[in-house]
Every structure is written in C-alpha cells, then in structure tokens.
Amino acid sequence: EQIERELGGPLGQFFTSISEEPVAAASLAQVYLATLNDGSDTKVAVKVQRPSVLETVSKDLYVLRRAAEVVQGLVNRFAPQQKTNYVALLNEWAIGFYTELDFNNEAKNQIRLRNLLREKGVRGVVVPDVYEEYCTRRILVSQWVDGKKLSQAPVDEIARVTPIAQEAFLTQLFEGYFHADPHPGNLLLLDEVTPEGHELALIDCGLMANIDASDRDNMISTVIHLANKDYASLVDDFIQLNILPADCNRAAIIPLMDKALSPYVKGGGAKKYEEELKRLYGMEDGSTQATIGGFQAMTQDALTVLNDIPFSIPPYLAILGRAIVTLEGIALTGRPDYGIVMESYPFIARKLMREDRPEIQSALQEVLYTSGGGSAKQGLKLSRLLALLNNAAGQVATKEGAAFVDLDAVPEDGISFKDGLKFLLSDSAESLRAVLEPEVDG
C-alpha cells in the first residue's frame, strides 16, 4: 500500500477510516476521503500520487522538448524577426510539471496561498488547511471540504459567485503569486457557507506562478490602457513587459492592436470575438465576395504580425494567459457577455487609490491628469477624480457601445458625494490623497 510506504506505518496509525475507492481522480493523482486518528476523527482529503507518473511525465516532456526545438529552428529560419523562445516556454511548463509532482511543494504552496488570501482580507474564497505532518513527496493530506465543482453548479449560481472568484484571482495576480491552474475542477462551490462567509474553495495548488513587482506594475498600466482603448500607451506597456522591442514600428502596431484586442476587451468569449472580427473585416453579410475579401485582409494582417512585428511571449505570460482563459471560460458560463478586462477595472481603481508607492502613484497621476493618448501632465480634471471614485465603487461609465471605460464620465447612478468623500478620507484612498495634496496646497 503506497500510503503506508510513504508514511512509514500501518494506515490505522494515522487514520481511523479511509475510503476504499477514490472519491476523485486525475491523471497525476487520486483523492481518498479519510478521518484522522487524532481523537476527533477529523475529515481529510488524502491525495495519493499515481505509481510511475514521474517516468510517464518525463517521457512526454522529452518528446515535447524535441518538438519545441524543431519549431524553434523553423521559426529562426523562416521568421527570424520573431523573438518568442519556444524552448524556454516549454522549459517553464516542464519546471511547473515537475514541481507539481512534489506534494511537499504543493503543501507549501497551499499554505502560502491560504495565508495570502487571509492576510488580504479576501472574503468568499477559502484554501483548505494542510496537515503537514502527514505530507510526503507523494502524499498530501488537507482539510476536507464538502462541495461540488463550480462547473456543475446552476448557471445563476456561477454568475452569482463569479465576482467572488474574480476578486480572489486578481488579489493573487497583483500580489505576484497566483494559482496557475484554476480549472473548474479546482474551484468548488461549497455545500454550506463557512462561518467566515466563504462560498468557494480553491484546491490543487501544485502549479503556482510568481510575477515580479515591476511586471505587476506594468500590468496595472496595461489594464488601464486596454480598458480605455489607449493603444498608443499600450505599446509602451508591451515594451516594458518585453513583449515588444523598444524600436518597434508603432504606426503598424497600433491599428493591429485595435483589430486584435478591441473584440477581446468587449467580452463575450470566442463566439463574440469571431463576430467582432467578421464585422471589422466586412464579413458580416456572409456573401462569398465579402468572405473572400475579409479573409484576404485578415491574412494580410496576420502576415504583417508574423513578418514585421518582432513580438515575444515571456514564459510567465503564457502561464498567466492560460489561467485567465480558464477563468473566463467559467465566468462566461454564468454570464455570456463577461469580459475580464472591463470587470477587473474597479479592482485596479481601488488599487490605484490605496497603494502609496511611486509606481502606483505614477499610474494614478496618468488617470487623473492626462488626456487619452497623451503623456503631458495637465491640470487635475475633477470629472476624472469623480469617475475614479465611482470606478472603485464598481460604477463604471462606458463609451463605444459599453465596450470601454470612459475616464472622464461620471456614471448617472454613481455614488453620492457623501460616500465619495467618506471613501476619499478612508485608509483605502491613501495613494489618492498623496497625489492630491499638492492640489490642496496650491
């Protein structure tokens, strides 16, 4: 028995009961329901790694590594202007897979993520506790939670808890340590709300990712510029994130950004994205002539990207992209028009006003003082201050058919002056007050 070998004793020494069959199974491990021999019969989940999984994963990764080398060679030969290192991308995934196979590491990840969400006051999402004294490289014992996969919940329930899951993910992301595999099986809708108010449980912390502070700050600017369609400034963000080189052709890139990113920002997933692309390329009526013409234009833009724009995809960004797409897929089930860029903007607004750091204050000053597409600092615009206060409260005025944030517009159903002033004087607006002090002194 693998559990006895790993723990170094008979099952009865550690557990008063354990299910004969797994209650959950995946490619790497199986999960059993057990009760600890701790005098309280504490219910726990015992995750047991499948035999020989290390050898199987190693063989698969070896084949993929060789394939990545072939792809890299073809790219270097036929598209040398492309800078994405596909071998490095595969290596990053391989490190993640091997790390995921060490359950001692997963235990540490789970404890760290649990503490992070608690320290940041995230309500609604809990990470189960870990019983480290029972954990080994192939065994993970953690708190049992009763619930079902979020994907199995009714659509209205998914829609209701999506903001809760979103807040937890954005907190992780902008704290620089996030769950990189948030698929529907790893998000459980609890049968009962916990005494702390938690409705969701986030499990399986084998694959986590880190993002350094400078990249997180650049991501804040990226969300701001995406949300208000400032693609000229977005080019600078992509340069800072090492996606584009400093000498890139801005004149060629900005129109392509509009075509590629605007449909995504509008939300609605792959189906809506396809509809928007057809509209942008004049293929809406479905006629043969329009379809051929649109396809030719789309092909020409794709060739321009491949031949003239030397972009690269940093390894951490590939992992982040996968996590975002996975979460969006869940959210779209509950709300077909969901779009994470616009939905995350209130979180970004709150972060801008709360954190008193030079990098954050710089981004805040841009929102309050500059016009779209410009970089010269102008006088404080009261409309932008009021709009930002409303954005932080979740009230966002939009433009272009509700697709983008209007930084200068105050929502008609926005917060009252009293509530805005109360927020401005709270601990949640420390950064904003620091930026506004010169205005008061002047």
Side-chain angles (χ1 to χ4, degrees):
E1 177 69 45
Q2 186 173 348
I3 300 177
E4 292 181 331
R5 286 199 307 271
E6 287 292 318
L7 296 180
L11 284 177
Q13 180 180 337
F14 309 101
F15 308 104
T16 53
S17 69
I18 187 167
S19 59
E20 293 186 5
E21 299 295 330
V23 294
S27 57
L28 300 182
Q30 296 176 317
V31 178
Y32 296 84
L33 170 59
T35 52
L36 290 178
N37 188 4
D38 60 353
S40 302
D41 287 338
T42 303
K43 291 172 66 176
V44 293
V46 182
K47 184 176 180 179
V48 183
Q49 191 173 116
R50 291 182 182 274
S52 304
V53 70
L54 178 61
E55 293 81 353
T56 302
V57 169
S58 296
K59 290 176 183 177
D60 291 343
L61 288 174
Y62 174 78
V63 173
L64 289 172
R65 180 65 154 70
R66 295 302 299 269
E69 291 172 354
V70 172
V71 170
Q72 191 71 60
L74 292 172
V75 170
N76 291 344
R77 180 176 180 181
F78 297 107
Q81 69 283 357
Q82 293 304 313
K83 304 302 180 183
T84 299
N85 189 330
Y86 295 98
V87 174
L89 284 177
L90 194 280
N91 287 344
E92 191 79 8
W93 284 108
I95 291 170
F97 276 120
Y98 280 125
T99 302
E100 196 172 2
L101 291 177
D102 185 348
F103 289 174
N104 279 319
N105 184 73
E106 181 172 346
K108 292 182 176 65
N109 290 345
Q110 194 162 323
I111 293 169
R112 180 179 173 185
L113 183 58
R114 175 181 170 85
N115 290 338
L116 170 64
L117 296 183
R118 293 174 69 180
E119 289 168 5
K120 295 302 173 181
V122 175
R123 290 181 57 83
V125 180
V126 64
V127 177
D129 206 353
V130 175
Y131 296 89
E132 288 186 275
E133 62 270 30
Y134 301 102
C135 296
T136 71
R137 195 174 72 81
R138 296 182 181 87
I139 301 290
L140 175 71
V141 179
S142 57
Q143 175 188 0
W144 178 265
V145 291
D146 289 305
K148 59 188 172 186
K149 296 178 181 179
L150 184 57
S151 57
Q152 297 174 346
V155 171
D156 59 337
E157 278 290 280
I158 295 176
R160 186 182 64 80
V161 301
T162 290
I164 300 173
Q166 174 185 284
E167 185 78 10
F169 177 73
L170 292 173
T171 299
Q172 295 170 57
L173 176 60
F174 288 104
E175 289 300 319
Y177 186 70
F178 68 94
H179 195 300
D181 192 22
H183 64 74
N186 288 340
L187 266 173
L188 302 182
L189 181 63
L190 299 179
D191 292 343
E192 295 182 1
V193 179
T194 70
E196 298 81 13
H198 302 309
E199 300 184 61
L200 295 170
L202 184 56
I203 62 173
D204 195 356
C205 299
L207 189 59
M208 304 292 293
N210 294 279
I211 301 179
D212 65 39
S214 62
D215 284 334
R216 299 199 303 270
D217 291 335
N218 287 321
M219 284 181 183
I220 289 172
S221 293
T222 297
V223 173
I224 294 170
H225 296 142
L226 269 174
N228 72 83
K229 204 178 181 180
D230 184 359
Y231 292 136
S233 297
L234 189 63
V235 173
D236 294 320
D237 298 329
F238 278 21
I239 291 172
Q240 293 298 320
L241 289 168
N242 295 316
I243 298 172
L244 292 171
D247 60 351
C248 61
N249 185 346
R250 292 171 179 266
I253 290 172
I254 291 173
L256 292 174
M257 276 185 164
D258 190 5
K259 291 179 179 179
L261 297 177
S262 292
Y264 174 71
V265 174
K266 291 179 180 180
K271 183 178 180 180
K272 288 289 186 181
Y273 188 90
E274 181 182 353
E275 291 175 1
E276 280 294 311
L277 281 185
K278 286 182 177 180
R279 184 186 64 79
L280 287 170
Y281 286 97
M283 302 162 66
E284 286 178 294
D285 61 13
S287 66
T288 302
Q289 183 177 0
T291 301
I292 292 175
F295 184 75
Q296 288 175 338
M298 195 182 303
T299 301
Q300 184 58 52
D301 284 344
L303 289 174
T304 299
V305 172
L306 291 173
N307 295 326
D308 301 334
I309 301 176
F311 70 89
S312 63
I313 303 173
Y316 79 86
L317 197 59
I319 295 175
L320 173 59
R322 176 176 178 269
I324 289 175
V325 168
T326 302
L327 284 170
E328 274 198 318
I330 300 172
L332 285 164
T333 304
R335 217 185 81 193
D337 63 346
Y338 181 85
I340 196 168
V341 174
M342 292 293 287
E343 293 295 331
S344 64
Y345 193 76
F347 179 95
I348 296 299
R350 292 193 296 273
K351 192 172 184 67
L352 286 178
M353 293 193 291
R354 182 177 63 247
E355 296 191 12
D356 189 11
R357 295 189 295 113
E359 296 82 2
I360 297 296
Q361 289 199 340
S362 176
L364 177 59
Q365 288 174 338
E366 180 183 350
V367 170
L368 294 176
Y369 289 91
T370 61
S371 300
S375 58
K377 183 174 177 179
Q378 303 171 354
L380 172 68
K381 300 181 73 172
L382 181 60
S383 61
R384 287 200 169 192
L385 173 59
L386 295 174
L388 187 65
L389 287 168
N390 277 276
N391 298 160
Q395 303 293 330
V396 180
T398 57
K399 58 185 178 182
E400 296 192 31
F404 297 92
V405 173
D406 189 338
L407 296 180
D408 295 290
V410 180
E412 293 182 2
D413 57 347
I415 61 176
S416 66
F417 176 79
K418 178 180 178 181
D419 288 339
L421 184 61
K422 182 178 179 181
F423 185 87
L424 183 60
L425 297 175
S426 71
D427 293 339
S428 298
E430 184 177 351
S431 178
L432 179 59
R433 290 198 302 275
V435 169
L436 295 177
E437 278 180 10
E439 301 291 335
V440 176
D441 293 340

